[in-house]
Amino acid sequence: DTEVTQTPKHLVMGMTNKKSLKCEQHMGHRAMYWYKQKAKKPPELMFVYSYEKLSINESVPSRFSPECPNSSLLNLHLHALQPEDSALYLCASSPTPGQGVRNSPLHFGNGTRLTVT
Amino acid sequence: AQSVTQLGSHVSVSEGALVLLRCNYSSSVPPYLFWYVQYPNQGLQLLLKYTSAATLVKGINGFEAEFKKSETSFHLTKPSAHMSDAAEYFCAVSGTNAGKSTFGDGTTLTVKP
């Protein structure tokens, strides 16, 4: 069982819909991440939260809006998506963010499979 | 700056045969290296990591990897493949922040009965 829980597992939405992806971890990690993964490709970093503050935005379109309400929760709000946004969205966490501690692996959830119609 | 190259996007072995998945890295600082495995419809799971304590690293499920600085390699091996090893494998090198890890393109491992 994964220690990072993502809901829902599957999501189908139209291009005019608004939906949210949720991620939760109870490992005490203070860094949380959103990745996008297309089939047979490596994960692509979207956002990084460090101590509940957005620290990295990899030039993601504004139709994706992240939120970190507390140290255990991470949301990704979706609005006016395009069919090319269909992908597996992975949440991850790690024990300690920032420089000097680069040996912490990422702990991934099982992802949300998103289909935009 | 760092990069990772995984040689061979597809590797096929027979059950019981040696598994060898190749990873070469480039890093401007001493690297921290990781191997992750991804089973169908799941997230990535850490197999093992190199953090300079030992050049031969043992991981889960019988996998191990050897760090060779002179060859800038971190190849993943398993002496005897099992059907359950069929999955996608990603090599990654850590940036200054674990979230900025650079992933290789992945290798799909197929295990034939």
Side-chain angles (χ1 to χ4, degrees):
Chain A
D1 287 341
T2 181
E3 296 169 313
V4 177
T5 303
Q6 292 188 242
T7 56
K9 287 184 174 21
H10 301 274
L11 179 62
V12 179
M13 59 186 292
M15 290 189 286
T16 59
N17 291 160
K18 287 185 180 181
K19 296 287 185 183
S20 296
L21 309 184
K22 296 184 183 301
C23 174
E24 188 169 3
Q25 58 89 14
H26 293 288
M27 294 179 283
H29 293 171
R30 302 307 298 274
M32 295 186 76
Y33 313 83
W34 281 115
Y35 282 85
K36 173 183 178 181
Q37 186 181 30
K38 290 282 200 179
K40 299 299 183 185
K41 296 291 186 183
E44 299 172 33
L45 183 65
M46 299 175 72
F47 303 103
V48 180
Y49 272 83
S50 174
Y51 294 98
E52 296 86 69
K53 293 191 189 317
L54 184 64
S55 60
I56 296 175
N57 177 341
E58 293 285 274
S59 302
V60 178
S62 60
R63 58 185 183 270
F64 295 90
S65 177
E67 177 195 21
C68 190
N70 59 56
S71 61
S72 300
L73 293 174
L74 186 66
N75 298 320
L76 186 63
H77 303 296
L78 313 173
H79 174 56
L81 294 192
Q82 304 297 310
E84 59 264 29
D85 296 322
S86 299
L88 180 68
Y89 287 84
L90 293 165
C91 174
S93 68
S94 68
T96 46
Q99 294 186 1
V101 189
R102 295 167 45 230
N103 63 350
S104 300
L106 296 163
H107 297 250
F108 285 89
N110 282 332
T112 294
R113 178 76 60 187
L114 175 67
T115 303
V116 181
T117 60
Chain B
Q2 64 262 349
S3 66
V4 170
T5 301
Q6 290 186 239
L7 300 174
S9 58
H10 291 85
V11 171
S12 180
V13 301
S14 297
E15 192 173 19
L18 171 72
V19 175
L20 171 61
L21 305 182
R22 300 177 188 273
C23 172
N24 287 90
Y25 71 90
S26 172
S27 178
S28 56
V29 296
Y32 291 108
L33 296 160
F34 306 86
W35 275 101
Y36 293 90
V37 61
Q38 186 175 28
Y39 299 104
N41 300 314
Q42 293 189 22
L44 281 70
Q45 177 184 1
L46 180 70
L47 272 178
L48 48 81
K49 66 178 184 180
Y50 168 73
T51 58
S52 77
T55 56
L56 184 61
V57 181
K58 295 189 183 300
I60 62 172
N61 301 339
F63 284 93
E64 62 182 36
E66 186 172 10
F67 174 74
K68 292 187 177 180
K69 184 177 179 180
S70 61
E71 299 177 8
T72 61
S73 69
F74 190 56
H75 301 332
L76 182 71
T77 61
K78 182 174 181 178
S80 178
H82 191 273
M83 297 296 290
S84 60
D85 294 326
E88 189 79 13
Y89 291 80
F90 293 98
C91 182
V93 61
S94 178
T96 55
N97 179 316
K100 294 289 283 186
S101 294
T102 300
F103 287 87
D105 286 340
T107 298
T108 302
L109 176 65
T110 301
V111 182
K112 299 175 291 185

